[in-house]
Amino acid sequence: MTFKRTIRYYCLRLRRLQHQPVAAQAPDMTAHVCRHCGYEYAGRLCPMCGMPGTWHRFTWQRLFNGFLDIWGMGNRPMFRSMGHLLWRPGYMIRDYLSGHYLSYFPPFKMLAVLTVFVALIIWLLGIDTASAVAEAKNTATALNEPKVVGMFYQVRDILVANPLYRLLMQIVLMVVAIWAAFYKRGLNFVETFFAMVYISCQMQLLTIQWLLLTREFVEPSAFPFSLPEVLVGIVLLLDLRQLYQLSWWGTVWRMLLAQLLSGVLYVAVMFLTVILLIIGSWVV
């Protein structure tokens, strides 16, 4: 009984820590004389030129932060945001959307940096991505099919050969599907889009770890992420449960509905593209 109480105590403590947003710094009204413009003021930053009130000598940490500034990562807590995305993703996204956005790294900039880093790891480790793409393309090709069905597979082959376009389309369709499935849970479409960008950042972080551990590239299929589908499903379930603050069952059936809607939208977009191509061939 004591062991169960101990486990329960630490689980409740972890849950409270996950719900707690990043604490803002306490106000500092210490008097300073600006080293740059000589203005006397009280606070952390000079109101005239923006110079910090405290000055530190140049150290290795400052050199590292200067290097990060090249990539746009030196002015926001990117590494702290990465840590929060791994252990309290949904709660962190809710904090960001509720006004704590200065405490976290901007989602679009983080996604761009992580995408470049994933590509760099694939190049440095010499991971073969062509075979996974070629295998997906072979399974997507149909021979001796009717014209409409054949063009459907041709469009799919084009998307498989250009994974960036396909992933962008799948992410947009997933945003629409999640927004529709969780419509009454308080987030509008734009907020859902920002949440999905942060979730994509989280998946990129997991992709980096997957590549380093297995050196295996997973071609995305049901989900627009280069990870095993079971792993993506579990992580996405945890993200959505924390984000929308639902029960496990309430999150599961809405997530399954979102996945179904995403598949229907994907097929609808494909057939619409085929119809437009057929109409265009008739006009020509």
Side-chain angles (χ1 to χ4, degrees), residues 53 57 121 210:
R57 297 186 65 182
I121 289 179
W210 175 266

Side-chain angles (χ1 to χ4, degrees), residues 87-125:
W87 81 284
R88 55 182 301 268
Y91 301 131
M92 175 201 145
I93 296 172
R94 286 196 69 90
D95 294 342
Y96 181 86
L97 296 176
S98 62
H100 295 271
Y101 52 87
L102 292 180
S103 301
Y104 304 103
F105 198 78
F108 291 95
K109 186 181 293 186
M110 181 188 292
L111 182 59
V113 172
L114 291 176
T115 302
V116 172
F117 197 63
V118 168
L120 181 62
I121 289 179
I122 292 175
W123 177 71
L124 290 175
L125 298 181

Side-chain angles (χ1 to χ4, degrees), residues 147-148 151 274-284:
K147 183 177 181 180
V148 175
M151 293 189 68
V274 170
I275 292 174
L276 293 176
L277 290 175
I278 293 175
I279 295 175
S281 64
W282 287 345
V283 172
V284 175

